Amino acid sequence: MGHGCADTHYFIVQEGNCSMKIMIRLHRWTSVICTVFLLLLILTGLPLMFRQEIRSWNTINLPAPSAPMAVNEIWSSLDEGLDALQHNYPDKELLSVTPDPSDGTLYFRVKNKNERAARAHMRMGGEQIMYDVREHTLFDRTTRVYRYPAVEAFLHTMHNLHVSLGTGSTGRNILILMCFLSIVSLFSGLYLYFPMMKAFAFGTVRRRTKRLWWSDWHKILSLVAAAWLFALCMSGIAIDLYARGSMQYDKTAAAQAKAALVLQDSQAAISPMAALEKAQAFFPDRLVISMDMPNKDLPAYTFSVADVPAQPTNFMLGEKAFLAKDGASSVAYYPAPAWMQFIPFWINLHIHSHDLMIEKILWVVLILISVGAVVTGIGVFISRQKAQVMRAAKDVVQARHASLRRETWLVVIGAMAFLVLPIYGGFWHVLALLLAAALFIWLWRSLRK
C-alpha cells in the first residue's frame, strides 16, 4: 500500500511494540524497492488495455472484426480454409491451426518450405494467415499496413517493457520478484492500516503537516487500489509460471507420446479434418483449441484440448493429446499438472476481466488511483518528520463511527468482486458494474464529508 508508516501510532512504536516496528520497516523498504517497477507495470499496461482497439484503428488493411463464434462451428470450415490456403499460398507449409472464437477466424501458422519455423505458441508468434470463415477470405498478418508505424512500434515497446523490461528472461525474473515484493508491501500496509485508521473516519485528510496530508491521501487511495494491485501482481506471477511450466509440460507430453504411440515418418497421414474429428470424438464434452501438424520430430497430430470457458474470449488451458498421423491408434492424452489448473483464473483476471469498454474505463480509473497511491507513498517517505507527526497525531478531523474492519473488508472484497465477476460473462458483467458504481459513490461521499 505504498510507503507510509503508522504515523498515528508513533507513540506505540516508541514504547517498544516490536511487531509494529517490523511491519513499518518491512512496508517502507519493500515499497521503496518496488516503487519504480510497479509504476512501470501500471503505466505500460495502460495502453496495452486498448491494444486491440488501437491496432484496429491503426491498421489500414486489417479485415473488419466479426462477431464471436463457437469453436466447433469455426472448425467445421477447416477443409475449405485449407483449400484456400493451399491455392493462395502454395509455397507455404502448414504448421498449426488455431480457431479464434472472438471473431470466427482460423489462424494458420505457416512457414516457407525448406525454412526453419519461428518459435510460436497457438496464435502468438511466427507467420500467421487468418481465414475468416464467414467471408471465406484470407489475410496474411505479415502484410499489415499501419497508418502510423510509430504507434505500432510504441505498442510493441510497451509490451516488451511490461513483460520483461525489454531484456528477456532477466527482466522477467526481476519483474516477478517485484510483484512478490509488492504483495508483501500490500499486506504489510493492510496490517498497518487498522491501527492507523481506528481513531478517525475514512476520507479524513489532515493538513497540519505535509507528512500527514501525504499519509492520509496514501491510506485513502491505497485501500481502494489494494484489490486491483494484488490481482495485478498475483496474475503477473501466474502468467510467468504458465509461460515457464507450459514449455516443460509440452516437452514432457511429446516425449511420452513418442514412447506410447507407434510413430513412423513414412506412414501415410490422414487429413487434418479426419484427425480433428477423431480428437473431437475422443473429447465430446471439451473443445479442441489448437492442432499442430505432424513433423519429422513428432509424426503425430498434436491437439490442445480445454474445458468450455464461461465466455468465448476467455483464456483456456490447453492440455495435450496426440494421434499418430496415420490415425490407426487411439488418441493419447496427457493432462496438465494439477497446479496449472489454477492458471486460467489468474490469466483471465489479468486480461479478460475488462472486455467491455466501460470496464476498461473503470480499470483506467483504478490505474490512476493506484498511481496516486504510489506517488503519495513517495511523498510520505520523503517528508518523514517524526517530531511533527507527534505534535499533529491528535489532529483528528472526524471521529470514526463505522466499524473499521467491516468497512475495510467491504471495500477490498467489493473491489475484488468487480475484478473477478466479469470473467464469467453475461449477468456477471452487470453485477460487477453495479459493485463498481457503489464503491466509487461511497468513495466520493467519504471524500466530501
Side-chain angles (χ1 to χ4, degrees):
M1 291 175 57
H3 307 285
C5 72
D7 46 56
T8 59
H9 279 246
Y10 179 72
F11 290 112
I12 296 178
V13 176
Q14 288 290 86
E15 292 170 2
N17 189 322
C18 292
S19 64
M20 288 291 291
K21 285 183 178 180
I22 292 170
M23 295 305 290
I24 289 173
R25 290 170 183 170
L26 179 65
H27 180 65
R28 178 186 300 148
W29 292 111
T30 53
S31 300
V32 167
I33 293 169
C34 65
T35 287
V36 173
F37 296 96
L38 188 58
L39 278 175
L40 176 68
L41 288 173
I42 292 172
L43 295 177
T44 54
L46 179 56
L48 294 179
M49 276 205 312
F50 301 95
R51 176 168 50 185
Q52 182 177 351
E53 290 82 2
I54 293 172
R55 280 182 169 161
S56 296
W57 164 80
N58 194 44
T59 308
I60 296 173
N61 62 336
L62 188 69
S66 300
M69 180 182 287
V71 169
N72 287 338
E73 188 178 354
I74 300 172
W75 276 126
S76 66
S77 299
L78 176 61
D79 275 343
E80 66 182 43
L82 290 173
D83 289 341
L85 179 70
Q86 186 175 12
H87 180 265
N88 290 275
Y89 298 92
D91 296 329
K92 300 293 184 182
E93 178 183 342
L94 178 64
L95 300 175
S96 66
V97 189
T98 304
D100 182 1
S102 67
D103 65 356
T105 304
L106 283 171
Y107 280 71
F108 297 117
R109 185 163 62 89
V110 300
K111 72 177 184 67
N112 293 327
K113 293 180 179 179
N114 302 320
E115 288 187 3
R116 186 175 181 179
R119 182 178 173 182
H121 176 69
M122 296 181 69
R123 289 187 286 116
M124 297 182 293
E127 181 182 356
Q128 304 212 17
I129 297 174
M130 301 161 53
Y131 178 72
D132 189 321
V133 305
R134 292 187 177 95
E135 301 297 326
H136 311 288
T137 55
L138 290 168
F139 176 74
D140 189 342
R141 296 207 298 175
T142 62
T143 64
R144 285 174 291 188
V145 179
Y146 298 111
R147 192 185 315 260
Y148 300 105
V151 173
E152 178 61 24
F154 170 76
L155 290 176
H156 182 70
T157 300
M158 291 298 100
H159 174 77
N160 284 339
L161 289 173
H162 192 72
V163 301
S164 66
L165 300 177
T167 62
S169 60
T170 300
R172 286 195 296 271
N173 293 337
I174 293 173
L175 288 179
I176 293 308
L177 175 61
M178 293 304 108
C179 284
F180 174 76
L181 289 178
S182 296
I183 292 173
V184 174
S185 175
L186 284 169
F187 277 97
S188 58
L190 192 61
Y191 177 90
L192 296 171
Y193 180 81
F194 292 111
M196 285 191 293
M197 289 294 292
K198 72 178 184 180
F200 55 92
F202 181 88
T204 298
V205 178
R206 294 164 293 173
R207 296 175 173 81
R208 180 175 296 186
T209 69
K210 288 183 179 180
R211 178 170 173 78
L212 285 176
W213 187 88
W214 284 115
S215 179
D216 288 341
W217 270 114
H218 179 62
K219 292 191 287 286
I220 293 168
L221 298 175
S222 295
L223 180 63
V224 177
W228 184 83
L229 288 171
F230 173 76
L232 177 75
C233 294
M234 276 298 299
S235 57
I237 293 172
I239 291 171
D240 183 75
L241 289 175
Y242 170 72
R244 298 170 191 264
S246 63
M247 292 178 62
Q248 183 59 46
Y249 164 60
D250 290 351
K251 291 179 181 178
T252 302
Q256 291 174 330
K258 284 183 180 181
L261 298 174
V262 178
L263 303 175
Q264 297 179 11
D265 192 41
S266 60
Q267 292 170 331
I270 61 174
S271 70
M273 191 67 188
L276 173 65
E277 289 172 347
K278 281 182 171 287
Q280 289 175 327
F282 192 84
F283 299 101
D285 299 323
R286 305 185 77 190
L287 298 177
V288 177
I289 61 172
S290 183
M291 176 172 63
D292 292 357
M293 300 299 110
N295 55 58
K296 291 182 179 180
D297 293 331
L298 184 58
Y301 287 98
T302 302
F303 304 96
S304 293
V305 296
D307 295 326
V308 178
Q311 54 183 354
T313 56
N314 278 3
F315 167 83
M316 294 171 275
L317 176 63
E319 298 187 287
K320 295 302 177 184
F322 303 86
L323 177 68
K325 71 177 187 178
D326 64 350
S329 59
S330 179
V331 173
Y333 168 58
Y334 301 96
W339 68 268
M340 291 182 68
Q341 305 300 327
F342 299 96
I343 292 296
F345 170 81
W346 291 107
I347 293 183
N348 285 319
L349 184 62
H350 197 97
I351 300 173
H352 293 296
S353 66
H354 48 279
D355 286 345
L356 302 181
M357 181 55 67
I358 182 63
E359 291 167 348
K360 292 185 179 184
I361 293 172
L362 291 174
W363 268 58
V364 171
V365 174
L366 286 173
I367 286 174
L368 296 177
I369 291 175
S370 300
V371 171
V374 174
V375 171
T376 52
I378 295 173
V380 173
F381 183 78
I382 293 175
S383 61
R384 293 168 62 193
Q385 300 175 22
K386 294 181 180 179
Q388 290 189 4
V389 172
M390 291 172 64
R391 289 195 300 271
K394 298 179 181 179
D395 185 15
V396 178
V397 177
Q398 184 178 357
R400 165 166 294 282
H401 298 292
S403 168
L404 170 61
R405 293 190 179 274
R406 185 185 305 117
E407 176 185 80
T408 302
W409 292 120
L410 281 176
V411 173
V412 173
I413 294 173
M416 183 60 74
F418 160 68
L419 300 173
V420 171
L421 293 179
I423 295 173
Y424 303 100
F427 163 78
W428 300 109
H429 282 287
V430 177
L431 182 56
L433 292 174
L434 290 175
L435 286 172
L439 176 63
F440 286 119
I441 290 172
W442 172 81
L443 175 62
W444 176 253
R445 293 183 62 185
S446 297
L447 293 175
R448 286 178 59 86
K449 288 179 181 178

